[in-house]
Amino acid sequence: MNTWIYKRAIDLGRDGAEIPATRICNNCKYWRPHVFYEGIGVCTHTWPWKMTFENDSCEHFEQIKIDKPGFYWCATCKTRVTPEDYMEHLKQGHRLYPMPYLEPEVREELYSVE
Amino acid sequence: MASEKVRYMADTWKDWCPGCGNYGIITAVEMALKELGIPPHKAVDVGGIGCSGKLPEFLAINGVHTLHGRPIPVATGIKLARPELTVLISAGDGDTLGIGAAHFVAAGRRNVDITLLLHDNGVYGLTKGQASPTLGLFIKTKALSKPNINSPVNPILLALASGYTFIARGYAYHVKQLKEIIKAAIQHKGTALVDILQPCPTYNNVYTKEWYEQRIYYLDEEENWNPVVEKPEELEKKMEQTIAKALEWEERIPLGILFQDKTKPEYFERLKIRIPFIEDIPPYKQPIDVNGKPIVDVAQIFVDKLVI
Amino acid sequence: MVDLVFEIGGPQGGGIESAGQMALRVFMLKGYRVYGTREYHSNIIGKHSYFNIRVREDRALAPNLPADIVVSLDAESVFTHFNDVGEFMVYDTGVLSKDIDSIQSMSKYLKARVKEELDANGVPHTVDGVIKLLDKRGKKTVGVPLRSLLKTTAERAGVSLVSISRAINTIGMAVGLSLIGVELEHLEKAIELFFAGKQKIVKPNVIAAQVAYEYAKENFSSIHRKKMPDGPHVNPVKPRLVVSGNDIVAMGKIAGGLRVQTYYPITPAADESLYLEKFEDFPLTPEAAEKLGLERGGIVVVQTEDEISALNMAIGASLAGARAATSTSGPGVSLMAEALGYAGIIEAPVVITLYMRGGPSTGMPTRNSQSDLLTALFQGHGDLPRIVIASGDHEEAFYDAIKALNWAEKYQTPVIHLLEKAIANAMKDLFNPDLSSVVIDRGKIERNPPIPFPRFKYTEDGISPRAFLGDTVVWYTSNEHDQYGRRNEDPVERIKMQDKRLKKFETAAKEIPLEDKVTLYGDPDAKITLVGWGSVKGAALDAIEILKEEGINVNYLHLRMFMPFPSEYVRSVLEKATTVIGVEGNALAQAAQVVRMFTGFEIPHLIIKYTGRPIFVQELVDSVKHVLNTGDKKVVLSLGQ
């Protein structure tokens, strides 16, 4: 089911970075991808959380498992997916996470919009 | 400025129907203000649209007759600008619970020190007696061609839910008792509701003088009735007893003070957290110029926008 | 002469706002005037937004395209803005392979148009394809590995990067600034200014800027512009501020003595009230404090339950003697219609600041329009004159906000102060406003009034002395009334009272000076006249300059006061011209209709825009030339995303 993870890891050759197999943040259960910017996220293993890149790795790595129905964050579609349709996203090779990383001070960047 | 004989009632001819409950209400208002020694120029009556809204016209205190449903915001604005004034609202059940219900709720949330005299007669008198928000379900007055198919709203419960800190009920023809209730409402620091049961002899032949007088009784005649919340921990219990009383209607109708919360800060107490001097120097009192020149410097205030 | 456009785009919430704010400060520190237009969707987070910053020496009052430089922080920005590029496109190399169809946040209509254009040029639907197209067009495309620069920044900062968006944006913006020859020190100063008091954010951002500058120096020295010259205001004598239209109106209201502001949250008005709230307890000048024996002033800002309450509450406050105002936009002012009439009949001084946005109904809440002019003039039932003033830029908005408060009290009437999203949300540099010429005029107030008080006394100029509730006994009623404010329907008195109310506006028309109502810019003898109002001013002033350089002599008649309308003057200017072109931001050409109503003059040519975007300078220049060449009666503008 998680072939998408491996495939993504191979795709990560941007900016000339080395790919250390699949034990990378992108596949780690402690990682939250940045809500807007690709390839960047936050490691939630220890507080204070740390910014890392999707192809970083460390000794705390634990494989992410998306095997139960739930409300996941689809980093490909940049939206929440429901328990009903999360599998469809996985099948299409989308990257799912329990949560994205949204900066706590994001409101300082926002507008009155309605 | 004070004239020798202080008058609260204007010379205007009162054009209410004969037997209208408003004659009782206006007399109670006059007596309350007189007994509290509030000079006419320091009191304001803010009226809505309808028979109730004519009160300001027949009183000799400051009078602001407004739009249908809008006396609460206007009264709030007056009080915020000049808190030394005693601000009363004379409005009907259509005004406050129909077209202006949003303001009725918001008033409770703010707890500005104003007194709302709700003229509760169950009908829209000036437009030929349509059912108003307090007319009971399936009641058919003579003015209605068919029974009312809307359920009534309970002003006491709505006020309680909205955070009113003083809730009382009076009866238009019991002028002396009503006067006492109005006095207590005025003296309460916060938003006060007096739901005044008022027969409309022209259009409401169901809630008549006789109908009311067979049912009404005064809470202060009951043993151990104490509606006052002195400490926050009493709130739940007091609200429960108020709810129970508010639900009485068909057999017996309680009058008097149903609820009073002395623990909740009035609006200016809340504003003082933001502008410490605002109660002492409220908006109307603040100078805005010196000899016609502004008294502020933009770059001195809005320092966050400076680029230097 | 420097006339530069710097555009930066990315996801809403992704640091575009602070990037734009910092860039504005950079160019100000560099000595220039700036104008920053923000465009964003009715969405909290994630859709595309951008900042268009115009930089000039003498006057920056309108956005322009093409942009000298477009900084795209994400793929969507590349697809959205590649046609805006004048010289440079800065993009993230990390998104080169991104296909347009994979961007969920992007509008399908824009996608379709972009794909069509890419197909026509034989390039793929990827960022890479767009970059190839730009290369073909001779643009300088600048790929930046945002992620590795972010990594360098994180390593060098030695701290965990608290804000990813705010480092990425700084890197992108810094590369852009470096390419056009702005020194790093200005950016460092701008970062400190913008994040004042937030040292945790300042440091990594300064490092991000340094990393970006180093990278640009190493890699793009061949395409780099030479050092940008300093502008004329590099060491200003007066303090300079950078403000939005919302901010400047709030400042004007405080200067003008506002003491009660009511509002219900709505875009694009809410920021004004929020800003007032921030400074609701403010210091008086030392001189005033000494004279008055009072250090501070305070504004009560009330967030009401709805706009109906907002206007009614402001009316109540004004009757009790406080200067009062409310602030809203189209849907809100629609709810205020009844209370507007109420203020009219009881002659309550109250200011309604009306920020126009795309309508009708909810319309386009975050987009510009000038489509509420007819609403401002005619909303409310009955014979109901009011004063309507429209500001054309931030500076006008400041002084108009003060004057509106004066007029409201002087003529005892509601005043509608019209602004629009294009001004409300645009950031503008300003020198600290000069208050020496500003007057606070409260009109006729009776300080020792008799009891009872004839509030509506018949007078020659129609203005009755006012007394505040609490100073005497005053009566008001929404019914027609006599001089004491008592309900009255006597036919003879009705004529007198109605005439008294109308008379006030004849007085206002006479007393308010022409320069507050209308301004003719450019050569008064020019044979071609543009007629516009509001934010059209900025684009029009630039356009007449550009057209003059091309040998076309055009002037611009800037309408400000729509009620009372300066009919004779406007008619005389329009009748003198051989070609008159109306320019405005709505579909009905509302001002043109008003001009015809008040002057009988029918404006024969119209240039209008109702895409919700502001009028860009160059599209106005082009469309004026088009009208002159073709004689077309109507041109509809559509530039900008």
Side-chain angles (χ1 to χ4, degrees):
Chain A
M1 177 191 301
N2 279 341
T3 51
W4 61 277
I5 291 175
Y6 184 71
K7 190 177 170 304
R8 286 300 303 164
I10 293 171
D11 287 346
L12 291 176
R14 32 176 105 129
D15 302 352
E18 286 291 309
I19 308 298
T22 59
R23 291 175 62 82
I24 56 172
C25 293
N26 200 21
N27 301 339
C28 176
K29 76 170 197 185
Y30 296 114
W31 202 64
R32 292 184 186 177
H34 191 271
V35 68
F36 313 122
Y37 292 115
E38 297 186 26
I40 313 167
V42 162
C43 171
T44 64
H45 181 271
T46 25
W47 183 260
W49 295 349
K50 215 174 89 191
M51 183 198 78
T52 72
F53 297 85
E54 59 187 355
N55 48 0
D56 285 349
S57 63
C58 79
E59 70 276 20
H60 304 300
F61 177 87
E62 269 183 67
Q63 182 65 43
I64 186 170
K65 286 201 183 77
I66 306 290
D67 49 8
K68 278 197 285 278
F71 289 91
Y72 293 104
W73 175 255
C74 176
T76 313
C77 299
K78 300 241 189 306
T79 191
R80 278 255 165 229
V81 296
T82 63
E84 285 73 39
D85 57 12
Y86 85 104
M87 187 57 83
E88 199 47 46
H89 285 258
L90 278 182
K91 280 180 189 158
Q92 287 174 26
H94 294 184
R95 293 179 295 137
L96 302 197
Y97 297 89
M99 286 282 280
Y101 177 67
L102 185 60
E103 280 156 28
E105 302 304 319
V106 69
R107 62 182 167 75
E108 291 179 11
E109 296 286 336
L110 301 179
Y111 304 113
S112 159
V113 292
E114 189 74 37
Chain B
M1 225 182 291
S3 60
E4 274 177 32
K5 192 182 162 214
V6 184
R7 298 202 50 203
Y8 290 85
M9 206 71 93
D11 299 330
T12 340
W13 177 68
K14 297 180 187 66
D15 63 0
W16 289 312
C17 304
C20 177
N22 278 334
Y23 292 103
I25 298 174
I26 198 169
T27 310
V29 170
E30 179 196 22
M31 288 164 66
L33 289 170
K34 208 178 268 182
E35 287 180 23
L36 290 172
I38 300 164
H41 71 288
K42 292 295 174 197
V44 190
D45 187 31
V46 184
I49 292 286
C51 305
S52 58
K54 292 187 173 188
L55 242 80
E57 190 179 334
F58 304 146
L59 288 166
I61 63 173
N62 284 288
V64 183
H65 170 253
T66 68
L67 300 168
H68 196 26
R70 316 305 166 206
I72 290 175
V74 174
T76 304
I78 293 168
K79 187 73 182 181
L80 290 181
R82 194 160 185 170
E84 69 182 56
L85 300 180
T86 297
V87 180
L88 309 176
I89 296 168
S90 299
D93 43 318
D95 262 325
T96 51
L97 304 170
I99 190 169
H103 312 312
F104 181 90
V105 171
R109 295 180 53 215
R110 286 188 287 258
N111 200 29
V112 173
D113 187 12
I114 52 180
T115 300
L116 169 56
L117 307 177
L118 198 169
H119 297 223
D120 186 351
N121 64 6
V123 293
Y124 286 93
L126 284 182
T127 49
K128 301 212 302 189
Q130 294 86 347
S132 85
T134 54
L135 192 71
L137 180 63
F138 299 136
I139 285 180
K140 186 192 159 317
T141 63
K142 265 195 298 188
L144 297 173
S145 60
K146 290 167 184 171
N148 173 30
I149 55 168
N150 294 303
S151 300
V153 64
N154 185 320
I156 308 295
L157 290 181
L158 186 57
L160 196 67
S162 307
Y164 279 70
T165 49
F166 183 101
I167 303 168
R169 190 190 271 143
Y171 175 57
Y173 292 152
H174 286 181
V175 176
K176 271 191 190 150
Q177 295 92 324
L178 180 59
K179 177 242 329 179
E180 287 305 321
I181 293 171
I182 292 174
K183 274 167 70 182
I186 290 172
Q187 285 172 312
H188 172 75
K189 203 161 162 56
T191 304
L193 166 70
V194 184
D195 177 29
I196 305 171
L197 304 177
Q198 174 194 19
C200 172
T202 306
Y203 288 114
N204 193 336
N205 63 318
V206 179
Y207 298 155
T208 58
K209 184 170 183 290
E210 294 67 35
W211 189 88
Y212 279 124
E213 288 176 7
Q214 279 161 17
R215 291 166 174 80
I216 53 177
Y217 70 98
Y218 283 90
L219 287 165
D220 55 10
E221 288 163 4
E222 293 214 325
E223 249 179 277
N224 301 326
W225 175 255
N226 178 1
V228 183
V229 181
E230 303 275 3
K231 288 178 260 161
E233 54 268 31
E234 296 169 1
L235 182 66
E236 201 180 316
K237 217 185 98 217
K238 300 280 174 171
M239 281 178 93
E240 278 170 12
Q241 68 173 21
T242 304
I243 291 168
K245 288 294 175 194
L247 292 171
E248 292 180 11
W249 185 258
E250 287 303 328
E251 305 299 320
R252 298 185 79 213
I253 301 174
L255 302 179
I257 299 172
L258 287 131
F259 180 78
Q260 185 175 15
D261 186 349
K262 291 187 172 174
T263 66
K264 262 198 205 139
E266 189 270 334
Y267 197 70
F268 269 88
E269 292 298 318
R270 306 176 192 189
L271 274 181
K272 268 160 47 183
I273 298 168
R274 293 160 55 153
I275 313 170
F277 54 85
I278 199 66
E279 199 170 14
D280 302 329
I281 318 169
Y284 97 96
K285 225 182 197 173
Q286 287 188 35
I288 62 170
D289 67 317
V290 171
N291 302 325
K293 305 307 286 177
I295 53 176
V296 296
D297 173 20
V298 167
Q300 190 194 344
I301 300 174
F302 305 98
V303 285
D304 59 331
K305 302 293 180 189
L306 283 174
V307 179
I308 35 170
Chain C
M1 201 184 84
V2 169
D3 186 347
L4 177 136
V5 177
F6 186 95
E7 199 165 81
I8 182 161
Q12 211 142 291
I16 313 310
E17 173 61 11
S18 50
Q21 293 284 358
M22 287 187 275
L24 286 164
R25 284 162 173 79
V26 168
F27 291 115
M28 283 174 70
L29 294 167
K30 194 77 186 119
Y32 289 94
R33 312 300 310 258
V34 295
Y35 194 82
T37 300
R38 296 141 145 167
E39 285 298 332
Y40 45 90
H41 287 83
S42 182
N43 147 267
I44 296 180
I45 277 175
K47 278 201 173 182
H48 174 71
S49 69
Y50 71 96
F51 231 112
N52 174 298
I53 298 177
R54 183 100 182 283
V55 182
R56 277 168 59 104
E57 289 165 20
D58 54 347
R59 179 190 66 234
L61 278 185
N64 203 2
L65 283 176
D68 294 68
I69 185 157
V70 174
V71 176
S72 297
L73 293 180
D74 63 356
E76 183 170 352
S77 301
V78 175
F79 290 119
T80 306
H81 294 289
F82 69 96
N83 280 321
D84 295 354
V85 177
E87 185 174 349
F88 296 103
M89 164 67 97
V90 178
Y91 65 96
D92 176 11
T93 51
V95 298
L96 268 175
S97 61
K98 194 102 182 161
D99 189 285
I100 193 167
D101 281 325
S102 71
I103 302 173
Q104 304 286 333
S105 51
M106 204 168 162
S107 133
K108 62 181 177 186
Y109 303 104
L110 178 57
K111 275 184 186 171
R113 285 198 302 274
V114 169
K115 284 199 276 191
E116 202 180 317
E117 190 176 347
L118 296 178
D119 288 344
N121 286 281
V123 293
H125 301 165
T126 56
V127 171
D128 198 32
V130 173
I131 297 303
K132 286 205 174 79
L133 176 58
L134 287 176
D135 287 339
K136 231 177 0 183
R137 289 178 180 172
K139 309 295 179 192
K140 296 171 185 164
T141 54
V142 182
V144 182
L146 283 181
R147 255 149 296 273
S148 48
L149 297 188
L150 187 66
K151 191 162 212 163
T152 313
T153 303
E155 282 161 9
R156 233 188 263 179
V159 289
S160 162
L161 268 186
V162 239
S163 175
I164 293 168
S165 317
R166 280 172 171 180
I168 286 225
N169 66 359
T170 303
I171 293 169
M173 174 190 52
V175 169
L177 291 173
S178 142
L179 286 169
I180 52 170
V182 176
E183 303 93 316
L184 174 62
E185 64 193 72
H186 290 309
L187 176 53
E188 290 173 345
K189 176 87 193 284
I191 292 170
E192 275 167 33
L193 271 176
F194 182 63
F195 291 120
K198 297 174 185 162
Q199 276 312 308
K200 263 191 177 165
I201 303 182
V202 171
K203 195 186 158 202
N205 273 282
V206 167
I207 292 170
Q210 291 164 348
V211 167
Y213 264 73
E214 283 164 24
Y215 184 84
K217 201 175 162 194
E218 275 169 36
N219 295 278
F220 311 125
S221 52
S222 59
I223 54 169
H224 232 269
R225 279 193 190 173
K226 56 178 196 292
K227 181 179 174 297
M228 187 181 185
D230 284 344
H233 308 291
V234 73
N235 287 310
V237 251
K238 281 175 81 179
R240 281 177 100 193
L241 303 122
V242 58
V243 295
S244 71
N246 291 130
D247 298 336
I248 197 70
V249 171
M251 292 172 182
K253 283 181 171 177
I254 288 191
L258 182 78
R259 288 299 178 269
V260 173
Q261 163 103 348
T262 58
Y263 80 105
Y264 184 79
I266 193 164
T267 305
D271 282 345
E272 181 205 309
S273 297
L274 294 182
Y275 200 56
L276 274 173
E277 222 166 69
K278 188 169 173 185
F279 294 98
E280 60 195 354
D281 174 2
F282 54 87
L284 307 184
T285 58
E287 307 82 65
E290 204 193 309
K291 283 215 177 86
L292 298 167
L294 188 69
E295 299 280 320
R296 304 189 74 81
I299 292 192
V300 174
V301 182
V302 186
Q303 182 190 324
T304 56
E305 56 276 22
D306 53 34
E307 286 90 346
I308 297 172
S309 176
L311 183 51
N312 279 290
M313 202 180 286
I315 290 170
S318 91
L319 300 183
R323 280 201 159 178
T326 183
S327 179
T328 190
S329 69
V333 87
S334 297
L335 288 181
M336 292 178 183
E338 195 190 18
L340 184 75
Y342 179 51
I345 200 162
I346 66 167
E347 306 192 34
V350 67
V351 172
I352 300 162
T353 313
L354 171 54
Y355 293 91
M356 293 176 283
R357 64 187 218 185
S361 191
T362 310
M364 298 196 286
T366 64
R367 305 297 183 181
N368 192 51
S369 98
Q370 297 187 310
S371 54
D372 297 339
L373 175 60
L374 297 179
T375 288
L377 288 170
F378 305 121
Q379 159 151 288
H381 58 276
D383 297 313
L384 175 62
R386 75 287 312 258
I387 291 176
V388 176
I389 179 85
S391 300
D393 60 33
H394 293 60
E395 206 161 316
E396 283 183 14
F398 177 77
Y399 295 106
D400 287 348
I402 302 172
K403 285 173 191 163
L405 289 164
N406 282 339
W407 292 327
E409 287 203 315
K410 214 170 153 189
Y411 304 109
Q412 303 175 9
T413 174
V415 175
I416 298 181
H417 182 190
L418 275 172
L419 288 125
E420 48 199 287
K421 185 264 172 180
I423 295 171
N425 284 168
M427 298 297 299
K428 170 93 195 84
D429 74 295
L430 276 186
F431 292 100
N432 189 28
D434 180 13
L435 293 174
S436 63
S437 61
V438 168
V439 171
I440 305 282
D441 183 351
R442 304 205 63 180
K444 294 185 194 172
I445 296 174
E446 186 57 61
R447 296 286 177 183
N448 289 303
I451 291 183
F453 182 71
R455 169 66 187 88
F456 303 96
K457 197 174 168 183
Y458 301 134
T459 60
E460 209 144 287
D461 58 7
I463 304 165
S464 322
R466 214 152 61 93
F468 301 138
L469 297 174
D471 285 350
T472 175
V473 170
V474 193
W475 297 314
Y476 290 100
T477 171
S478 61
N479 286 90
E480 186 55 287
H481 43 260
D482 63 15
Q483 296 184 73
Y484 280 88
R486 290 309 202 188
R487 192 153 51 106
N488 177 39
E489 295 179 0
D490 179 79
V492 177
E493 290 297 313
R494 158 71 173 183
I495 291 176
K496 284 189 194 164
M497 191 52 73
Q498 182 63 65
D499 286 353
K500 178 195 110 68
R501 282 195 297 269
L502 300 185
K503 183 80 190 168
K504 291 192 299 182
F505 293 91
E506 285 173 32
T507 305
K510 258 185 254 154
E511 288 180 353
I512 298 171
L514 191 65
E515 60 259 36
D516 285 344
K517 295 175 180 158
V518 57
T519 313
L520 181 62
Y521 290 95
D523 178 4
D525 295 323
K527 288 289 160 221
I528 304 160
T529 297
L530 305 184
V531 188
W533 60 290
S535 69
V536 168
K537 178 185 177 184
L541 293 187
D542 290 348
I544 61 174
E545 247 177 49
I546 294 167
L547 289 163
K548 191 161 197 172
E549 282 165 23
E550 297 181 20
I552 307 169
N553 193 12
V554 181
N555 59 25
Y556 170 60
L557 186 67
H558 182 52
L559 306 175
R560 309 235 296 112
M561 187 164 281
F562 285 93
M563 200 177 271
F565 193 75
S567 309
E568 276 173 40
Y569 177 80
V570 169
R571 191 189 305 121
S572 73
V573 171
L574 299 184
E575 282 174 352
K576 236 172 82 181
T578 48
T579 306
V580 177
I581 306 172
V583 186
E584 50 186 313
N586 60 65
L588 284 174
Q590 297 190 2
Q593 297 201 31
V594 173
V595 167
R596 187 164 70 163
M597 174 180 164
F598 286 124
T599 68
F601 187 96
E602 179 154 7
I603 297 175
H605 306 282
L606 298 169
I607 295 172
I608 53 178
K609 188 166 190 178
Y610 43 91
T611 59
R613 276 62 172 179
I615 295 176
F616 293 88
V617 176
Q618 195 54 47
E619 68 172 338
L620 181 56
V621 171
D622 295 344
S623 58
V624 170
K625 287 197 280 192
H626 175 86
V627 168
L628 295 177
N629 291 335
T630 62
D632 275 2
K633 290 200 169 313
K634 188 162 101 175
V635 179
V636 178
L637 304 180
S638 62
L639 189 65
Q641 292 304 326

